[in-house]
Amino acid sequence: MKLENCPIPQSGYSLITLAHGGGGLLSHRLFEQVFLPAFDNEYLRETHDGAVLPQIHGPLAITTDAHVVQPLVFPGGDIGTLAVCGSLNDLAMCGAEPKYLSMSFILEEGLPIEVLQKIVESIAKTARAEKVVIVTGDTKVVEKGRCEGMYISTTAIGEIKAPNKICPQQIQSGDVLILSSDIARHGMAVMSCRPGFQFESGITSDCGSLWPAVQALLQEKVQIHCLRDLTRGGLAAGATELSKASGFEFEVHEEQIPVQNNVRAACEIFGLDPIHVANEGCFLAVVAATDADRCVRILQAQNGTALARKIGFVTEAKGSAHVWIKGAFGQRRMLILPTGEQLPRIC
Amino acid sequence: MQMIGEFRNPELVKNLCRSISRVTTQKWKIMEICGGQTHSILHYGLDQLLPPEIELLHGPGCPVCVTPSQILELAFKIALQKDVIFCTFADMIRVPGEYRGSQTLDFYKVRAMGGDVRMVQSPLEAVNIAKNNPEKEVVFFAVGFETTTPVNALAVNEAEKLGLSNMFFLVSQVLVPPALEALLGSPDNQIQGVLAAGHVCSIMGTKPYVDLAEKYQVPCVITGFEPTDLLQGIYLCIKQMEDGRSEMENQYSRVVKSDGNFKAQELMQKYFQVKEQGWRGLGRIADSGYGFRNEYAHFDAEVKYQKLYESETRTPSCEFVCRSGEVLVGRLKPTDCEHFGKICNPSSPLGPTMVSTEGACAAYFKYRNQGRGINEA
Amino acid sequence: MCLGIPGKIISIELSSAEAPESSLAKVDFSGVTQNVRLDFVPEAKVGNFVLVHVGVALSVIDEDEALQTLQLLSDLGEFYNANDR
C-alpha cells in the first residue's frame, strides 16, 4: 500500500492526536497504515506483542539508543536515518552484523502525520539498504509540549562476526589509530539549522552505516583491536575514553585529521574545535601496526570511508593514560574529556 | 587569500620563533590582555615555542570572567521570572554564581528550574525574539568589552526604532584601559610589556595605548589572534624592551586603524556612558564600564528589575576561596593555585576563570594539566 | 575576549526585512555564508574582507597591510636561510 494513499488525513486527521496513542481504532490505523506498510515483514505482520526470531548461531550483540535530535530533519538526514544508523553503528563497533531492530516512538500531540510518514519512510529505506528487519515496536503519544515532535528509542540485535573480541582491553602499545573519514560534519549540519545560529554552507551530516566498512575489514582479516564511533563529544571524547579504558597513551597528529573546509570555517565562526564536534558516520579503529596500511587501503576503497587515514599511535602510559594532540608547530597538548556539550562562543 | 590560514603557516611561525630567540637576552614578563589570545596561545602551544626567558602573564580580558557576581545573581533572578525570555551568549551559560546566599546556580540550572534561557549568537537576535514575542519580556545579557558594546548599542538602537517596550538589556560592559592602568599602576606590578587586544582596538583605535605606553613606560603592541600575529606581537614587544623603548606599535594593522571605528564609537556613546564598574576578581574600578545613559533607562534591566536587586542579601561565598582575582591580574599562575585541578575543575569550577573557555584556569586545565598528575574531570 | 572572524563580502542588500535601514551583506567564510550587518562599515564593498563579531562587521580588512605583514614574515625566512648558508 502506498503511503500517499494513507486514509488518515482524509478521515480528518492530518495531525497526531492523543487518540492515536490510545490503543483504539486510531492507534491501529496508525500502525496498519503508516508503520506496517513501510516496515513490512513477516514478524511485524503477525501483529503480536513480541517478535519470535529464529535461532542465531554466533554470539549476539545488543545495543539500545535514544534519539532526540532537533530539528527532526537536518541536511543529510533525519531522526529516522539517525536512529537506524546510530544503532547499527553501535553493533558494528562490536564487530556484529546487524540483524533486527526494535523501535519505539514517542510522538507529540500535534505532530503532522505527513512528517511522521516522511521519517518512517526514511527509516524503512535505511533499514532495507542495511538489510536489517524492524521486528517489533511501540508508539505512544504525549501532550503537546511534553516532547519536541518525536523521540525514537531503538534496540538492535546483531550477530558477532569478528574472530576476536573487539574492545578497549584489546588495545596494545604500538597499535595504530585510524580515522575512517573527515570529522565534525554532523554537529555542524545540525547547528546550521538551530534557531539563532543559522548559516548556509552546504554542510551535510555524515549520518550513515559503518557496518559495510567494518565488514570489509573483517573479511580481509585485519587485526582490529578496538573500534569506536565518534558521536557526541567527537573524536576527542572517543579517543579519551579508549585511552582511559585501555590504560594506554594515545598520540594524535592534528594535521592528519581531515576536516572539510566549510566545516572548519563553521567551527571557526562559532569558536568550536572540530575534534569535539559530533559525527554520525565516522569511527576510530585501533589496529595492529602490521595491519595499519592494509586497513587504510581497504577503508579507502569503501563508500563513505574514502578519506580514511592514520592519525596517530598507541604507546605505554607514563602514569595515568592520556591523549596527546601533536599540533602543526610540533608542540603537544593534552586532551581532556569535555565537561558537557560544546557551546558556541563569541569571546 | 582567506585571511586565516596564511597567519597559521608553520614556516612563518618558525621564522618568528627564531627572531624571538635572537633578540631575547634576558627575562621578560609580557601580559596578553585578551582571553581569546590566551586561548590561542595555549591551543597552539605558542608558549612552548618561546625561549625560557619569556613569561606570558594572562590578563583580565574575558567578559565572562569579570562579570560581577551581583550582576550574575540578578541575571539568575530575572531569568527565573515568569514571562521573561532571557537571552545570553552561550559563553555565559556555565558560569557559576551565588543565588540567595545559599546555593550556586548557572544558567543550565536556571533552565532546569523553569527559566526560559535562550542562547543567541548576536544581540540583534534577542531583539528579534522580543519583536516576535510581544507578550513576553525579553532581556539580553549585554556583557562585553569595547568590541561587543557597539553591537549591544546597535541592538538598543534597533529596539528603539521598532518601538519595543518589552526589550531590556542587563548591561555589564567593561573598558580595557582603566583596568590595565589599575594593573600597571599597582605597586607590585610585574608587567613589562603589553599585548593589547586587536579587536578592542579595531573599535577604539590606537590612541589609548599611545597614552598608556607613555604614562607607564611600557611597550604596548596591538596584536591579532592568529599564531603569527601573537608571535609577531611578542617579538615586537621583546624588541622594544631589549632596546629600552616603550611605544605603541600596531602589529594588527590589517584590522586596526589608528582612529578605530568612528561609527561604532558614536552609537556606543549615544546609548551608554562611562561609569564606575565592578570587575569580578578586581573590584570596582573608576570609569571602567559602560552603563545606560539616563534618557535610555527604560531599556535598562537593572532599573526594570530593581526590586529583585534590592531584595538580595550577600553572604560570604566561594569567592573568598577562589583566587581568580590574582589570576586575572597575572599575579598567580593557575597551576600554582592550591585548588587548581583539585576542588576546582571545569566540571565544578570555583570561579569564572575555570569556567569560561577563555579563562586562564580553564585554558590551563584544558591544555596543561599534565605534570601534576591530575585526573580528568 | 572577542571572537572576530574574517570573511569576504559576496553581495550587499541595501535594505532588507532583517535590517530595513541598514545594509546587510552576505559574507563568505571559506564556504560558509552568513548575513552580516554593515552598520559600522558603510564603506565596505563587494569583494572586501571584513572582520565579523557577533553578526556585525567591525572593520574592513586592509588587504595590502595583510600582504605586507605576510611578506615581512616570509622575508625573515629568506634572511635566516641566507645567513645559515
Side-chain angles (χ1 to χ4, degrees):
Chain A
M1 176 174 176
K2 276 187 129 172
L3 287 181
E4 300 86 81
N5 301 335
C6 172
I8 292 173
Q10 287 153 22
S11 60
Y13 288 97
S14 59
L15 302 177
I16 290 290
T17 65
L18 284 176
H20 285 107
L25 189 63
L26 283 176
S27 294
H28 287 284
R29 275 203 191 156
L30 199 62
F31 174 72
E32 280 174 10
Q33 293 166 356
V34 177
F35 293 108
L36 185 59
F39 300 158
D40 188 41
N41 61 68
E42 55 188 300
Y43 308 103
L44 216 51
R45 243 176 274 134
E46 284 176 2
T47 63
H48 197 25
D49 280 348
V52 179
L53 305 172
Q55 195 167 4
I56 291 180
H57 294 288
L60 294 184
I62 181 164
T63 180
T64 286
D65 241 326
H67 303 273
V68 298
V69 70
Q70 282 299 320
L72 296 178
V73 181
F74 48 83
D78 59 41
I79 190 170
T81 46
L82 202 63
V84 177
C85 293
S87 292
L88 300 197
N89 291 350
D90 285 346
L91 289 180
M93 295 302 103
C94 309
E97 179 175 30
K99 291 278 187 193
Y100 304 108
L101 261 179
S102 153
M103 306 190 97
S104 84
F105 295 79
I106 294 172
L107 309 177
E108 185 189 22
E109 179 185 20
L111 176 76
I113 289 178
E114 207 182 324
V115 173
L116 177 65
Q117 279 175 335
K118 185 178 177 329
I119 305 277
V120 164
E121 204 25 57
S122 84
I123 290 171
K125 200 173 141 204
T126 316
R128 266 197 306 274
E130 300 304 324
K131 300 189 181 64
V132 63
V133 190
I134 299 158
V135 292
T136 184
D138 185 38
T139 308
K140 293 281 179 338
V141 179
V142 296
E143 286 119 358
K144 200 164 180 62
R146 283 181 60 200
C147 100
E148 284 182 283
M150 137 182 2
Y151 300 147
I152 303 177
S153 169
T154 52
T155 295
I157 292 174
E159 184 182 2
I160 295 288
K161 296 288 180 183
N164 303 308
K165 213 163 175 207
I166 293 177
C167 65
Q169 289 68 36
Q170 299 294 320
I171 294 173
Q172 294 170 19
S173 176
D175 282 356
V176 174
L177 306 174
I178 292 165
L179 184 64
S180 70
S181 66
D182 62 311
I183 59 166
R185 270 193 279 141
H186 177 71
M188 296 324 285
V190 169
M191 187 174 246
S192 74
C193 22
R194 237 167 112 170
F197 295 90
Q198 288 102 329
F199 55 89
E200 291 166 38
S201 63
I203 297 172
T204 54
S205 169
D206 60 345
C207 182
S209 169
L210 299 174
W211 171 245
V214 174
Q215 189 178 30
L217 295 179
L218 291 173
Q219 278 165 355
E220 298 290 333
K221 301 198 167 40
V222 172
Q223 295 175 61
I224 303 169
H225 291 161
C226 193
L227 299 168
R228 176 61 52 104
D229 64 340
L230 305 173
T231 53
R232 275 176 305 179
L235 173 59
T240 311
E241 285 158 13
L242 290 190
S243 156
K244 234 176 147 174
S246 67
F248 285 104
E249 206 147 272
F250 288 12
E251 182 168 304
V252 172
H253 293 224
E254 202 168 26
E255 294 287 86
Q256 295 302 318
I257 302 170
V259 183
Q260 277 181 12
N261 280 341
N262 53 0
V263 173
R264 193 180 291 284
C267 288
E268 292 282 348
I269 292 174
F270 296 105
L272 304 173
D273 188 337
I275 64 169
H276 291 287
V277 177
N279 309 282
E280 284 295 342
C282 178
F283 67 98
L284 185 67
V286 188
V287 303
T290 46
D291 276 5
D293 289 323
R294 210 159 58 86
C295 174
V296 170
R297 277 199 305 274
I298 295 164
L299 287 177
Q300 285 177 346
Q302 290 289 318
N303 240 345
T305 52
L307 292 178
R309 65 174 85 176
K310 294 190 271 188
I311 59 158
F313 49 86
V314 178
T315 58
E316 237 23 277
K318 305 160 201 79
S320 55
H322 292 297
V323 178
W324 293 88
I325 300 278
K326 194 156 185 234
F329 313 133
Q331 80 300 359
R332 271 160 48 109
R333 65 175 203 266
M334 200 174 85
L335 254 190
I336 59 162
L337 274 183
T339 310
E341 80 178 298
Q342 218 200 358
L343 297 173
R345 60 191 176 95
I346 63 107
C347 57
Chain B
M1 232 179 163
Q2 294 302 325
M3 292 289 171
I4 294 184
E6 297 92 338
F7 299 93
R8 293 178 186 173
N9 180 339
E11 247 342 273
L12 303 186
V13 165
K14 209 170 83 191
N15 295 346
L16 277 162
C17 290
R18 292 174 77 173
S19 303
I20 290 171
S21 296
R22 282 166 67 108
V23 294
T24 308
T25 67
Q26 61 179 100
K27 288 192 171 184
W28 296 111
K29 289 187 179 180
I30 302 172
M31 175 178 271
E32 84 278 356
I33 303 300
C34 171
Q37 292 174 328
T38 307
H39 188 89
S40 256
I41 287 167
L42 291 167
H43 178 87
Y44 290 105
L46 302 181
D47 55 331
Q48 298 173 44
L49 304 174
L50 298 176
E53 291 90 344
I54 306 302
E55 189 183 337
L56 295 176
L57 308 174
H58 312 300
C62 161
V64 177
C65 300
V66 301
T67 299
S69 47
Q70 292 89 332
I71 293 286
L72 202 55
E73 179 167 2
L74 179 60
F76 295 150
K77 287 180 179 171
I78 295 172
L80 282 167
Q81 298 295 301
K82 251 176 69 186
D83 298 326
V84 165
I85 299 175
F86 194 88
C87 302
T88 173
F89 294 130
D91 307 59
M92 296 300 296
I93 290 281
R94 268 199 285 261
V95 186
E98 294 275 305
Y99 180 66
R100 297 196 189 283
S102 57
Q103 47 176 324
T104 308
L105 287 190
D106 57 34
F107 286 109
Y108 272 132
K109 291 186 191 161
V110 169
R111 276 177 79 126
M113 289 159 73
D116 187 352
V117 178
R118 303 193 189 171
M119 289 184 254
V120 292
Q121 183 68 6
S122 169
L124 297 162
E125 179 63 27
V127 178
N128 220 9
I129 292 174
K131 195 172 82 181
N132 297 331
N133 295 275
E135 76 293 354
K136 296 273 190 180
E137 289 165 9
V138 175
V139 180
F140 177 67
F141 201 175
V143 299
F145 279 69
E146 294 95 319
T147 323
T148 316
T149 301
V151 186
N152 294 341
L154 189 61
V156 181
N157 183 254
E158 200 99 328
E160 192 186 16
K161 279 197 283 193
L162 290 167
L164 298 180
S165 57
N166 65 330
M167 177 81 225
F168 307 95
F169 296 82
L170 181 61
V171 167
S172 180
Q173 300 171 144
V174 289
L175 285 157
V176 175
L180 192 51
E181 285 210 50
L183 297 180
L184 293 171
S186 103
D188 55 352
N189 170 47
Q190 304 180 28
I191 307 162
Q192 295 168 294
V194 170
L195 303 185
H199 293 158
V200 161
C201 298
S202 73
I203 301 295
M204 304 306 276
T206 58
K207 178 75 167 54
Y209 298 89
V210 174
D211 300 346
L212 277 174
E214 195 185 310
K215 184 168 173 192
Y216 294 96
Q217 289 297 298
V218 61
C220 290
V221 181
I222 293 168
T223 305
F225 295 74
E226 295 300 333
T228 64
D229 289 328
L230 286 157
L231 289 170
Q232 194 185 9
I234 291 167
Y235 167 77
L236 293 172
C237 203
I238 297 172
K239 192 84 177 38
Q240 282 201 41
M241 295 185 292
E242 292 279 352
D243 295 350
R245 289 178 292 128
S246 41
E247 298 156 8
M248 185 287 297
E249 263 183 287
N250 185 2
Q251 179 280 326
Y252 204 32
S253 55
R254 66 183 184 276
V255 167
V256 176
K257 284 106 196 176
S258 57
D259 294 334
N261 186 319
F262 180 71
K263 279 226 151 223
Q265 291 172 25
E266 198 182 38
L267 199 66
M268 195 155 75
Q269 304 297 346
K270 178 177 175 193
Y271 295 103
F272 304 123
Q273 62 187 355
V274 171
K275 63 165 184 87
E276 187 189 70
Q277 170 77 27
W279 294 57
R280 197 169 184 171
L282 302 186
R284 303 197 72 81
I285 303 174
D287 299 335
S288 71
Y290 268 125
F292 269 107
R293 288 189 183 279
N294 286 338
E295 55 268 47
Y296 296 105
H298 53 287
F299 284 118
D300 192 342
E302 261 188 89
V303 174
K304 161 86 181 165
Y305 301 99
Q306 208 166 14
K307 280 220 174 81
L308 299 175
Y309 209 18
E310 284 164 358
S311 68
E312 137 195 72
T313 46
R314 302 255 80 221
T315 33
S317 68
C318 60
E319 272 173 68
F320 284 81
V321 183
C322 176
R323 299 177 68 187
S324 61
E326 292 164 79
V327 172
L328 283 170
V329 300
R331 221 172 279 145
L332 178 72
K333 241 189 157 56
T335 44
D336 291 339
C337 173
E338 63 270 30
H339 307 308
F340 181 84
K342 292 176 185 147
I343 58 170
C344 183
N345 59 58
S347 303
S348 64
L350 276 187
T353 46
M354 184 54 98
V355 73
S356 160
T357 42
E358 286 208 317
C361 297
Y364 267 80
F365 192 91
K366 192 165 173 200
Y367 299 123
R368 292 301 140 69
N369 67 358
Q370 70 272 21
R372 299 190 113 219
I374 294 155
N375 289 321
E376 295 92 320
Chain C
M1 61 193 83
C2 315
L3 197 67
I5 307 293
K8 197 173 197 164
I9 299 182
I10 45 182
S11 66
I12 297 178
E13 212 178 318
L14 285 179
S15 175
S16 60
E18 208 173 315
E21 285 169 53
S22 152
S23 40
L24 191 72
K26 269 207 186 312
V27 174
D28 170 59
F29 305 88
S30 308
V32 174
T33 51
Q34 261 196 320
N35 289 339
V36 169
R37 294 276 294 253
L38 298 182
D39 300 66
F40 298 145
V41 288
E43 73 276 20
K45 298 202 168 39
V46 171
N48 283 167
F49 276 97
V50 282
L51 185 86
V52 180
H53 174 63
V54 296
V56 177
L58 299 185
S59 166
V60 177
I61 300 178
D62 188 326
E63 275 190 71
D64 291 337
E65 289 283 351
L67 288 170
Q68 271 176 38
T69 302
L70 290 169
Q71 189 59 50
L72 183 89
L73 300 184
S74 85
D75 287 349
L76 277 178
E78 278 174 34
F79 169 80
Y80 289 131
N81 290 338
N83 279 19
D84 285 349
R85 258 180 244 131

